[in-house]
Amino acid sequence: MKLTKEMLDSVRNIDGFPIGSDEDIIELSDPPYYTACPNPFINDFIEKYGKPYDEETDDYKCEPYAADVSEGKNDPIYNAHSYHTKVPHKAIMRYILHYTKPGDIVFDGFCGTGMTGVAAQMCGNPDPEFKFKVEKEFEKEGKKVEWGARRAILGDLSPAATFIANNYNTPVDTAEFEKEAKRILDEVEKECGWMYETIHTIDGVPQKYIDGSVIKGRINYTVWSDVFVCPNCSDEIVFWDAAVNKEDGKVMDEFKCPHCGAAVNKKNLDKAWKTVYDKALDKVINQVKQVPVLINYTVDNKRYEKKPDEFDIELIEKINEMDIPYWYPTDRMPDGYNTEQPKKSHGITHVHHFYTKRNLWVLSAFYCRKIPVLFFWIINSIQNYVNKKQSFGGGGGGVSGTLYIPSLIEEKNIFDVLNRKLKKIRLLHNIFSDFKYNTCITTQSTINFLQGKDNSVDYIFTDPPFGGNLMYSELNFLWESWLKVFTNNKTEAIINKMQKKGLHEYQELMEKCFSEMYRILKPGRWMTVEFHNSKNAVWNAIQEAILKAGFVIANVRTLDKKQGSFKQVTTTTAVKQDLVISAYKPKEGFVKRFLKEAGTEEGVWDFVSQHLEKLPIVVEVGDRLDIVDERCDYLLYDSMIAFHIQNGASIPMGSSDFYAGLKKRYIERDGMYFLPDQAAIYDSKRAKLELNDQLSFIIKDEKMAIQWLKYKLLNKPMKYQEIQPLFLEELHRENYESIPELIDILQENFLRDDDGRWYVPDINRQSDMEKLREKKLLKDFEEYKNSKGKLKTFRSEAIRVGFKECWRNKDYETIVSVGERLPESFLQEDQTLLMYYDNAQTRLGV
C-alpha cells in the first residue's frame, strides 16, 4: 500500500505530526504497518483484527498481575539496538500472557524501541527455556498459559523511536539480507578502507616485508585528547600526556604541567580553542583543540599500539582537506538541557561536529547507498559508538541519557563496529524471519489518538517519559538528522525549562495521554504503567494523571531491570527499581450507576465491591504469603476517596464509619478484606503457607504515625513506656510537619485500659473519637486558612480534614488558596491533597 500526500493531509492536524518534508516522511515509512507520521491505516488494522466490545456478553475477568518481575538485559533482542531506556521484552511478555488471549490487540503509546510489539509477537514463538519457566510460574498460581501471538498498536512522538520499533517488529528475508549486507560492506570498505590504515612500527621503527615495502595495519581505534592551557605558564597541556597513567589507563585527579611543573587539575584548567573553516556551513567556527594521541591497530590478527606518527598525521590532514562526496546532515543542534554541554565544552553546535571527518565520511557513504531497511537500522544502531560521545575506556556509546563529550575520545573503526553488530543480528534472524505483520506503528502524540476507536484495544502496556530524567527529542536529534524527519516536541511530556514545561505542564500532558488510552481501552480491561523516577512529586503526578483520566489504580509492584542507568548509579536518591502500576477501566454500567449514586453510601459500597473484585487475592513471595496492602482498610478508604473526588462527588462518610461498614459487608482475613469467593481462595492458600506480616513503616507524618500505632496495638496493647522508644526509632518527621506529641496522638485515637495499656478501640468508639478529633483538626485548619503568607509548619492531618470538609461544602476557593500557601514540595508529594487541589482548580476553571 502507498502513503500519499493526500493521506498526509488527512492526518496533518493530529498532534505530534513530525517535522520534515512530505517526501522524506513517505520515504521513511513502510505502509500500512509503519508510517513516520500519524498512521492513517490504524482504523483498518483495528477493523480487521479487533474484537467488538459488548458489555452484556463480555465475560472478561482478571485480577492484576501482582508478582514481582525481574529480567536482565543480556538478551540478543534487547541488545540489538541501543536506546535511552527500554523494558526487556520477556518482562512484558508475562503481563501480556496474563491479561490477554491470542489475537488480542495490545497498545503502547510510548513505545520507544517497540519492545511491547516484540513481546506480543514472541508470545507465539517463545524460546524453550523461557516457555518452561513461565509455565511453571503460572502453574504455581493456578493458571494455564495461553501461548499464541498477540497484535500490537505502537505509537511514539519520535520518528527515531518508531523507525527502530518498526525494524524490531518486521519480518526479514534473512538470506537476502545477509547477501546484500556483505555486498554493501565490501563496496564501501573498498572505497574508504584506506582511511583506517597505519604503518606498523616497533619502538618507532617502521616494519617492512622482505621486498622492502612497509607493513600496514588496520586501525581499530584512535584516541583523541583535549588540549588545555596551563594557568601558570600559559603553555598547552595535552590531557592524555599529563593526566593519564599509561600503565592502568586511569585518569589522575591532580597532575603536573609538563612545562612548569605546577600542580593542576581538570577543574581549574581552561581548554585550548582553535579557529577552523567549516565548509559545510561556509563560515569560520571555534572548537576545542583535540589531537590524536594513541592508535590501536591489528596486523596478522595481532593487536598493537603506537603513538601517531608522521604518516598518521598526514593521513588525517589529507582526509580533513578533502570534500565528502555524499550528503550528510548539517542541522544545528537545538537549544536544550542536553545540548549545552557539547556546545559549551567543545564548540559542537551542529550534527556533523559530533563526528571525526573520517567517520562522518564513511557513515555518509553507507547512508547514501540504496541499502536494505534493516541495514539502515543497523547503521543507525551504532551511531553513539562511532561519534565523539564514545569515551576511551568508558562504556559503549558514552554516558547514556546525555550528549556528553569526554576529554578522551575513542574514534572507532566503523567497519569493525558494523561487523560485530551484524554478528549479533545474525542471532536474531530466525526470530525475525518468523515474525508476521502483527504490528501497526504510528508516529504521533498520544494526547490526540484520533485514529483509535472507543473501546477497541484489549490491554495497554506503556513506559511513559518520567519527568525530567530524559530529554528524548534532544537525545534523538542525532539519529533523526540522518533520517531527515524530526520530533515535533510541542506535546512532548517532559519537564524541561527550555520548552517551558514544569511539573504542572508535564502532568497535564500525561493526563491527556492517559485519557486517550482510557477512551480506546475496553471497559473492565487493564493498563500497566512501567515507571521510574527518583522524585516523589513526579511519581504522584503520574498517579494523579492516571486517576483523573478515569482509571482506578489497583496495585503497584516493582520491575527490576538488573542494571542501573548512569543516573541511577550516581544519584543517591534514585529509585533502584522500576515501579509498575496496574490500573483498570471500570465497566460502563458501573460508572453510570455510580454517577446516579454519587455521594451516597450505596455508591461507596458499589465502588468497594467492584474494586475488591479487581485486586490481587494472593501474592506469594518464596514460600510465604505477602500482605496485599490495597486490601487493607486505610488504602481501600483512600481509593474510595480518590474515586469520589475524580468524579466530582462528595464523600458521604468518614474513615471510622467506612471501616465499620467494611467489617459488616466483607470478609476479613489477616487485616485484609475479600469478597466471599475470594476469601475461599485465600483460605485455601493460607492453610498451606505462612504469612509474611512484617510491614515496613517510616513515620513521616501524623497519618502514618496513626497507622503504625494501629499495627502495633491491634493484637498487643502496650504501655506508653513500651511504645515510645519504638515510635522514636521509626520517626523521620518532614521539616514542615507539625506532628503532635505521641501522648496526644494516643489520646485522640486510642483508648487506655485499667493497667495503663493503650489499645485500638472498637468500631463504634472509634467513630466517636474520630468526630471529636476532626473538630480539633478543623479548628487548626481555620487558623491556617485565616493566617497570612506561606505555611511553614502545620499538621498535615488538619490540612487533609480541612480540604475534605471544603470539598463537601463545594468551597473550592479555600482549597486552592490554602494549597497555594503550602510548600510546593509538600503539596506535590501528598497524593490525596494534590487530588483535592487539582480537582478544585478544575472546578474553578483555573
Side-chain angles (χ1 to χ4, degrees):
M1 300 180 73
K2 289 186 178 180
L3 182 65
T4 65
K5 288 192 176 185
E6 289 73 25
M7 287 180 175
L8 293 187
D9 289 338
S10 71
V11 295
R12 207 179 294 277
N13 65 322
I14 294 177
D15 288 294
F17 190 94
I19 298 167
S21 71
D22 287 357
E23 290 76 14
D24 288 329
I25 291 171
I26 291 170
E27 177 68 23
L28 190 59
S29 300
D30 184 19
Y33 295 101
Y34 161 59
T35 61
C37 65
N39 194 325
F41 303 100
I42 286 177
N43 271 332
D44 297 332
F45 185 85
I46 293 172
E47 194 69 34
K48 183 173 181 179
Y49 299 116
K51 302 164 190 171
Y53 173 76
D54 181 352
E55 185 154 321
E56 289 187 8
T57 58
D58 184 55
D59 60 354
Y60 180 88
K61 282 190 177 181
C62 190
E63 64 181 69
Y65 186 70
D68 286 345
V69 175
S70 178
E71 280 294 339
K73 298 179 179 179
N74 299 319
D75 187 281
I77 292 179
Y78 188 94
N79 292 316
H81 197 297
S82 59
Y83 198 68
H84 324 296
T85 178
K86 53 186 171 180
V87 182
H89 70 280
K90 287 182 178 177
I92 305 173
M93 284 174 71
R94 288 178 167 88
Y95 292 99
I96 293 176
L97 289 166
H98 174 83
Y99 287 113
T100 67
K101 295 183 180 298
D104 280 356
I105 295 179
V106 180
F107 177 75
D108 184 353
F110 301 98
C111 73
T113 57
M115 288 296 106
T116 300
V118 171
Q121 299 224 51
M122 291 294 288
C123 286
N125 185 30
D127 68 67
E129 184 180 344
F130 180 75
K131 184 174 185 285
F132 178 79
K133 184 179 178 182
V134 171
E135 285 176 349
K136 285 294 181 185
E137 290 173 3
F138 277 54
E139 184 182 325
K140 187 178 178 182
E141 296 171 20
K143 296 182 297 186
K144 186 177 180 182
V145 182
E146 291 191 60
W147 297 106
R150 278 67 167 168
R151 302 186 187 276
I153 297 174
L154 309 178
D156 202 284
L157 194 63
S158 166
T162 56
F163 172 75
I164 297 167
N166 177 53
N167 283 276
Y168 256 126
N169 284 277
T170 302
V172 175
D173 183 333
T174 56
E176 184 62 28
F177 168 74
E178 291 224 18
K179 180 181 173 183
E180 274 295 285
K182 187 178 185 310
R183 179 189 66 77
I184 294 160
L185 264 171
D186 292 345
E187 189 178 299
V188 177
E189 186 153 15
K190 186 176 180 181
E191 177 187 333
C192 301
W194 60 272
M195 297 182 187
Y196 297 106
E197 288 182 347
T198 187
I199 293 175
H200 178 37
T201 62
I202 297 178
D203 296 328
V205 178
Q207 302 299 295
K208 298 181 179 179
Y209 291 110
I210 296 174
D211 63 2
S213 61
V214 294
I215 299 173
K216 288 185 178 179
R218 176 189 172 94
I219 295 174
N220 302 312
Y221 61 82
T222 301
V223 179
W224 293 76
S225 172
D226 281 353
V227 179
F228 293 88
V229 177
C230 176
N232 189 52
C233 66
S234 299
D235 277 346
E236 291 186 346
I237 302 173
V238 177
F239 188 65
W240 169 267
D241 294 338
V244 178
N245 183 324
K246 307 304 184 295
E247 291 182 6
D248 58 16
K250 291 184 178 179
V251 177
M252 295 178 280
D253 292 330
E254 190 171 274
F255 47 93
K256 291 183 178 180
C257 171
H259 308 291
C260 67
V264 294
N265 62 57
K266 191 176 174 182
K267 290 181 181 177
N268 63 20
L269 289 175
D270 289 328
K271 288 176 179 168
W273 291 73
K274 63 178 181 178
T275 303
V276 296
Y277 174 67
D278 187 333
K279 190 168 183 179
L281 302 180
D282 192 23
K283 67 177 184 180
V284 174
I285 61 171
N286 291 319
Q287 287 192 327
V288 161
K289 187 175 182 180
Q290 293 177 313
V291 294
V293 293
L294 177 74
I295 292 177
N296 180 289
Y297 65 99
T298 297
V299 175
D300 294 331
N301 295 320
K302 188 176 180 181
R303 285 187 172 238
Y304 299 88
E305 288 186 349
K306 60 181 271 194
K307 186 175 181 179
D309 53 29
E310 186 179 347
F311 174 87
D312 301 309
I313 302 300
E314 287 180 357
L315 176 66
I316 290 169
E317 289 176 351
K318 177 183 176 182
I319 294 169
N320 287 340
E321 288 169 3
M322 295 173 69
D323 291 337
I324 297 176
Y326 306 106
W327 171 89
Y328 55 87
T330 58
D331 304 270
R332 180 174 178 80
M333 296 299 295
D335 293 331
Y337 176 83
N338 289 113
T339 56
E340 285 305 294
Q341 191 273 340
K343 286 178 183 177
K344 289 180 178 179
S345 71
H346 285 79
I348 293 179
T349 58
H350 290 69
V351 172
H352 60 292
H353 297 159
F354 272 87
Y355 307 86
T356 62
K357 182 75 174 285
R358 170 165 46 199
N359 278 5
L360 183 65
W361 188 321
V362 176
L363 277 176
S364 66
F366 278 113
Y367 272 103
C368 290
R369 280 169 164 76
K370 192 71 176 173
I371 58 179
V373 175
L374 182 60
F375 196 89
F376 192 20
W377 179 71
I378 291 168
I379 299 171
N380 184 273
S381 76
I382 68 167
Q383 283 285 349
N384 287 334
Y385 297 87
V386 298
N387 64 31
K388 293 181 182 180
K389 277 187 61 185
Q390 177 62 57
S391 62
F392 173 69
V399 178
S400 64
T402 74
L403 293 174
Y404 176 79
I405 304 296
S407 290
L408 296 173
I409 293 166
E410 186 176 304
E411 179 199 13
K412 293 180 180 289
N413 181 320
I414 288 180
F415 298 110
D416 287 351
V417 177
L418 264 178
N419 274 305
R420 285 196 297 273
K421 180 63 76 170
L422 283 167
K423 285 179 182 177
K424 290 180 180 179
I425 295 296
R426 287 189 188 104
L427 297 173
L428 307 179
H429 281 181
N430 289 337
I431 296 171
F432 285 160
S433 60
D434 285 340
F435 276 7
K436 308 297 180 187
Y437 286 103
N438 285 337
T439 306
C440 192
I441 302 173
T442 182
T443 309
Q444 65 181 95
S445 171
T446 308
I447 72 166
N448 191 0
F449 199 69
L450 293 179
Q451 313 99 300
K453 292 183 177 181
D454 293 359
N455 304 336
S456 59
V457 303
D458 299 289
Y459 171 60
I460 294 172
F461 184 97
T462 195
D463 178 15
F466 22 87
N469 283 31
L470 291 169
M471 309 298 166
Y472 291 93
S473 61
E474 296 174 19
L475 298 172
N476 290 351
F477 196 85
L478 286 179
W479 278 322
E480 291 173 356
S481 66
W482 290 93
L483 301 177
K484 302 181 186 178
V485 184
F486 298 88
T487 298
N488 181 341
N489 65 14
K490 185 178 178 182
T491 57
E492 184 177 19
I494 56 171
I495 297 172
N496 184 310
K497 287 183 180 179
M498 290 290 184
Q499 295 185 27
K500 297 181 180 178
K501 293 173 184 172
L503 184 63
H504 178 70
E505 289 75 18
Y506 168 74
Q507 183 178 318
E508 277 192 336
L509 286 165
M510 288 307 306
E511 184 188 332
K512 290 177 180 177
C513 292
F514 286 128
S515 293
E516 282 294 85
M517 294 185 200
Y518 183 91
R519 180 181 64 79
I520 65 174
L521 183 65
K522 292 175 181 176
R525 303 313 198 270
W526 290 90
M527 173 177 73
T528 302
V529 181
E530 192 275 335
F531 185 78
H532 168 83
N533 192 279
S534 58
K535 295 182 179 178
N536 286 342
V538 178
W539 166 239
N540 281 330
I542 277 284
Q543 290 186 88
E544 177 71 357
I546 292 170
L547 292 170
K548 288 186 82 172
F551 287 101
V552 181
I553 295 174
N555 188 249
V556 179
R557 305 298 288 182
T558 62
L559 187 147
D560 183 3
K561 293 183 186 175
K562 289 279 180 78
Q563 299 174 8
S565 69
F566 177 76
K567 286 186 171 67
Q568 283 174 293
V569 171
T570 60
T571 306
T572 55
T573 58
V575 177
K576 298 301 180 186
Q577 289 183 311
D578 287 17
L579 299 169
V580 179
I581 309 172
S582 299
Y584 62 89
K585 176 178 178 177
K587 289 285 188 80
E588 290 177 335
F590 163 76
V591 174
K592 289 175 182 176
R593 193 167 64 251
F594 177 83
L595 292 176
K596 288 180 183 178
E597 300 170 341
T600 68
E601 286 197 26
E602 290 80 5
V604 168
W605 303 121
D606 203 3
F607 168 78
V608 172
S609 295
Q610 186 223 220
H611 192 53
L612 286 174
E613 188 180 306
K614 291 290 187 179
L615 296 179
I617 300 171
V618 175
V619 176
E620 293 183 46
V621 179
D623 58 351
R624 299 175 76 89
L625 292 182
D626 244 4
I627 291 284
V628 180
D629 295 336
E630 291 83 2
R631 288 188 176 273
C632 296
D633 54 9
Y634 70 100
L635 283 183
L636 286 170
Y637 181 69
D638 285 352
S639 295
M640 182 274 290
I641 292 277
F643 193 74
H644 278 69
I645 294 171
Q646 301 298 357
N647 284 279
S650 61
I651 298 142
M653 64 179 70
S655 59
S656 293
D657 291 336
F658 179 80
Y659 299 156
L662 280 177
K663 283 187 175 293
K664 287 178 185 176
R665 290 169 172 81
Y666 305 99
I667 299 171
E668 184 185 359
R669 294 286 188 270
D670 298 322
M672 299 175 285
Y673 289 88
F674 298 88
L675 299 172
D677 58 332
Q678 294 176 333
I681 296 170
Y682 182 78
D683 288 343
S684 175
K685 280 285 185 181
R686 186 72 172 84
K688 301 172 186 174
L689 299 173
E690 290 294 318
L691 183 68
N692 180 18
D693 61 351
Q694 298 301 308
L695 296 182
S696 176
F697 288 91
I698 298 176
I699 303 172
K700 291 187 175 183
D701 60 18
E702 187 177 348
K703 180 181 179 182
M704 191 50 68
I706 295 168
Q707 293 303 328
W708 181 86
L709 286 166
K710 279 186 178 179
Y711 175 67
K712 287 291 181 185
L713 301 175
L714 190 62
N715 298 316
K716 183 188 175 186
M718 299 169 70
K719 291 183 178 181
Y720 178 83
Q721 294 85 347
E722 297 175 89
I723 302 170
Q724 189 192 34
L726 299 174
F727 181 82
L728 293 176
E729 189 178 326
E730 300 297 336
L731 182 61
H732 300 275
R733 183 181 68 83
E734 298 284 5
N735 293 332
Y736 44 74
E737 181 69 38
S738 177
I739 299 181
E741 293 295 326
L742 173 60
I743 190 66
D744 294 328
I745 298 176
L746 288 167
Q747 288 172 348
E748 287 183 8
N749 299 277
F750 301 89
L751 294 175
R752 187 165 49 179
D753 63 19
D754 294 338
D755 296 324
R757 297 178 305 173
W758 293 94
Y759 64 93
V760 179
D762 65 41
I763 290 297
N764 294 326
R765 293 291 301 276
Q766 204 169 13
S767 180
D768 292 338
M769 293 178 73
E770 183 186 346
K771 287 169 185 173
L772 289 172
R773 177 171 172 269
E774 283 197 356
K775 282 184 179 180
K776 293 180 183 178
L777 291 170
L778 284 172
K779 283 185 180 179
D780 289 344
F781 182 76
E782 280 297 312
E783 289 182 18
Y784 303 149
K785 173 184 169 183
N786 296 324
S787 62
K788 304 292 182 183
K790 285 282 186 183
L791 294 169
K792 294 181 180 178
T793 58
F794 45 85
R795 286 179 74 176
S796 58
E797 278 295 275
I799 302 291
R800 289 190 188 96
V801 169
F803 276 19
K804 177 184 169 185
E805 182 69 8
C806 290
W807 183 266
R808 186 176 70 82
N809 296 327
K810 299 184 179 179
D811 182 5
Y812 307 126
E813 291 88 351
T814 297
I815 294 175
V816 172
S817 65
V818 173
E820 287 173 347
R821 294 169 52 220
L822 293 169
E824 186 178 358
S825 59
F826 168 69
L827 182 62
Q828 294 294 344
E829 294 188 11
D830 189 298
Q831 187 186 348
T832 302
L833 294 182
L834 182 63
M835 204 158 40
Y836 278 119
Y837 179 75
D838 280 353
N839 282 276
Q841 283 189 315
T842 302
R843 297 292 181 278
L844 294 173
V846 177

PDB file of all heavy atoms in Angstrom, residues 389-401:
ATOM      1  N   LYS A 389      30.835  10.986  21.330  1.00  0.00           N
ATOM      2  CA  LYS A 389      30.338  10.611  22.661  1.00  0.00           C
ATOM      3  C   LYS A 389      31.130   9.437  23.234  1.00  0.00           C
ATOM      4  O   LYS A 389      31.226   9.276  24.447  1.00  0.00           O
ATOM      5  CB  LYS A 389      28.868  10.205  22.581  1.00  0.00           C
ATOM      6  CG  LYS A 389      27.861  11.335  22.612  1.00  0.00           C
ATOM      7  CD  LYS A 389      26.456  10.776  22.696  1.00  0.00           C
ATOM      8  CE  LYS A 389      26.284   9.960  23.958  1.00  0.00           C
ATOM      9  NZ  LYS A 389      24.977   9.283  24.047  1.00  0.00           N
ATOM     10  N   GLN A 390      31.698   8.612  22.363  1.00  0.00           N
ATOM     11  CA  GLN A 390      32.377   7.399  22.798  1.00  0.00           C
ATOM     12  C   GLN A 390      33.692   7.758  23.489  1.00  0.00           C
ATOM     13  O   GLN A 390      34.616   8.278  22.865  1.00  0.00           O
ATOM     14  CB  GLN A 390      32.646   6.481  21.616  1.00  0.00           C
ATOM     15  CG  GLN A 390      33.413   5.206  21.956  1.00  0.00           C
ATOM     16  CD  GLN A 390      32.665   4.322  22.940  1.00  0.00           C
ATOM     17  OE1 GLN A 390      31.537   3.924  22.700  1.00  0.00           O
ATOM     18  NE2 GLN A 390      33.300   4.022  24.059  1.00  0.00           N
ATOM     19  N   SER A 391      33.753   7.490  24.791  1.00  0.00           N
ATOM     20  CA  SER A 391      34.963   7.840  25.538  1.00  0.00           C
ATOM     21  C   SER A 391      35.954   6.687  25.554  1.00  0.00           C
ATOM     22  O   SER A 391      35.562   5.514  25.470  1.00  0.00           O
ATOM     23  CB  SER A 391      34.600   8.220  26.979  1.00  0.00           C
ATOM     24  OG  SER A 391      34.004   7.119  27.639  1.00  0.00           O
ATOM     25  N   PHE A 392      37.237   7.013  25.680  1.00  0.00           N
ATOM     26  CA  PHE A 392      38.270   5.988  25.780  1.00  0.00           C
ATOM     27  C   PHE A 392      38.186   5.346  27.164  1.00  0.00           C
ATOM     28  O   PHE A 392      38.215   6.017  28.185  1.00  0.00           O
ATOM     29  CB  PHE A 392      39.653   6.602  25.586  1.00  0.00           C
ATOM     30  CG  PHE A 392      40.772   5.631  25.846  1.00  0.00           C
ATOM     31  CD1 PHE A 392      40.989   4.567  24.986  1.00  0.00           C
ATOM     32  CD2 PHE A 392      41.587   5.763  26.974  1.00  0.00           C
ATOM     33  CE1 PHE A 392      42.009   3.662  25.226  1.00  0.00           C
ATOM     34  CE2 PHE A 392      42.608   4.869  27.221  1.00  0.00           C
ATOM     35  CZ  PHE A 392      42.820   3.812  26.347  1.00  0.00           C
ATOM     36  N   GLY A 393      38.039   4.027  27.178  1.00  0.00           N
ATOM     37  CA  GLY A 393      37.960   3.312  28.448  1.00  0.00           C
ATOM     38  C   GLY A 393      36.599   3.361  29.086  1.00  0.00           C
ATOM     39  O   GLY A 393      36.394   2.830  30.182  1.00  0.00           O
ATOM     40  N   GLY A 394      35.631   4.017  28.428  1.00  0.00           N
ATOM     41  CA  GLY A 394      34.285   4.118  29.001  1.00  0.00           C
ATOM     42  C   GLY A 394      33.354   3.082  28.407  1.00  0.00           C
ATOM     43  O   GLY A 394      33.745   2.247  27.591  1.00  0.00           O
ATOM     44  N   GLY A 395      32.094   3.144  28.809  1.00  0.00           N
ATOM     45  CA  GLY A 395      31.100   2.200  28.305  1.00  0.00           C
ATOM     46  C   GLY A 395      30.768   2.468  26.851  1.00  0.00           C
ATOM     47  O   GLY A 395      31.007   3.564  26.326  1.00  0.00           O
ATOM     48  N   GLY A 396      30.213   1.459  26.192  1.00  0.00           N
ATOM     49  CA  GLY A 396      29.844   1.602  24.791  1.00  0.00           C
ATOM     50  C   GLY A 396      28.795   2.666  24.574  1.00  0.00           C
ATOM     51  O   GLY A 396      27.762   2.664  25.243  1.00  0.00           O
ATOM     52  N   GLY A 397      29.070   3.597  23.686  1.00  0.00           N
ATOM     53  CA  GLY A 397      28.082   4.637  23.381  1.00  0.00           C
ATOM     54  C   GLY A 397      28.150   5.848  24.284  1.00  0.00           C
ATOM     55  O   GLY A 397      27.315   6.744  24.191  1.00  0.00           O
ATOM     56  N   GLY A 398      29.154   5.898  25.171  1.00  0.00           N
ATOM     57  CA  GLY A 398      29.292   7.052  26.045  1.00  0.00           C
ATOM     58  C   GLY A 398      28.302   7.034  27.194  1.00  0.00           C
ATOM     59  O   GLY A 398      27.676   6.021  27.491  1.00  0.00           O
ATOM     60  N   VAL A 399      28.164   8.174  27.848  1.00  0.00           N
ATOM     61  CA  VAL A 399      27.278   8.288  29.012  1.00  0.00           C
ATOM     62  C   VAL A 399      25.835   8.259  28.533  1.00  0.00           C
ATOM     63  O   VAL A 399      25.384   9.136  27.795  1.00  0.00           O
ATOM     64  CB  VAL A 399      27.561   9.594  29.789  1.00  0.00           C
ATOM     65  CG1 VAL A 399      26.603   9.724  30.972  1.00  0.00           C
ATOM     66  CG2 VAL A 399      29.010   9.624  30.274  1.00  0.00           C
ATOM     67  N   SER A 400      25.081   7.231  28.970  1.00  0.00           N
ATOM     68  CA  SER A 400      23.707   7.077  28.499  1.00  0.00           C
ATOM     69  C   SER A 400      22.840   8.220  28.995  1.00  0.00           C
ATOM     70  O   SER A 400      23.055   8.777  30.072  1.00  0.00           O
ATOM     71  CB  SER A 400      23.126   5.743  28.968  1.00  0.00           C
ATOM     72  OG  SER A 400      23.048   5.720  30.381  1.00  0.00           O
ATOM     73  N   GLY A 401      21.844   8.561  28.199  1.00  0.00           N
ATOM     74  CA  GLY A 401      20.904   9.608  28.584  1.00  0.00           C
ATOM     75  C   GLY A 401      21.455  11.011  28.493  1.00  0.00           C
ATOM     76  O   GLY A 401      20.870  11.951  29.029  1.00  0.00           O
TER      77      GLY A 401
END
